Amino acid sequence: MFLVEERRNGQRRAEIYMRPDGLFEGRIYRLTSETASEAIRAKAEFEICGVTETLPRIETLVDEGLGL
């Protein structure tokens, strides 16, 4: 997967990826700590995942998930 975009809103972070099959995947994470070990653990588990055929649609879903 290729990272296309990253967005932040307070203690929440989102990443949008383009998958090998051409679909776009959005993941939203809650940041719990600034320490490296906790950041790795937080990155391993996402709260929301969406998969769409178009980038604008996943951007909309991610923005809604982040409260933007």
Side-chain angles (χ1 to χ4, degrees), residues 5-68:
E5 192 172 337
E6 186 173 351
R7 296 177 181 206
R8 292 182 183 269
N9 184 17
Q11 290 296 326
R12 297 172 67 93
R13 176 179 56 86
E15 295 174 347
I16 298 174
Y17 294 93
M18 182 173 182
R19 300 174 4 160
D21 61 5
L23 297 175
F24 293 92
E25 181 175 314
R27 298 177 180 182
I28 298 177
Y29 306 88
R30 180 180 305 276
L31 301 178
T32 57
S33 175
E34 294 300 320
T35 64
S37 62
E38 297 241 355
I40 291 169
R41 225 182 350 236
K43 187 172 183 172
E45 295 182 23
F46 48 86
E47 295 179 2
I48 299 171
C49 179
V51 178
T52 66
E53 292 181 358
T54 64
L55 182 58
R57 180 64 184 139
I58 197 67
E59 288 174 331
T60 300
L61 292 173
V62 164
D63 285 348
E64 289 174 2
L66 290 176
L68 297 175

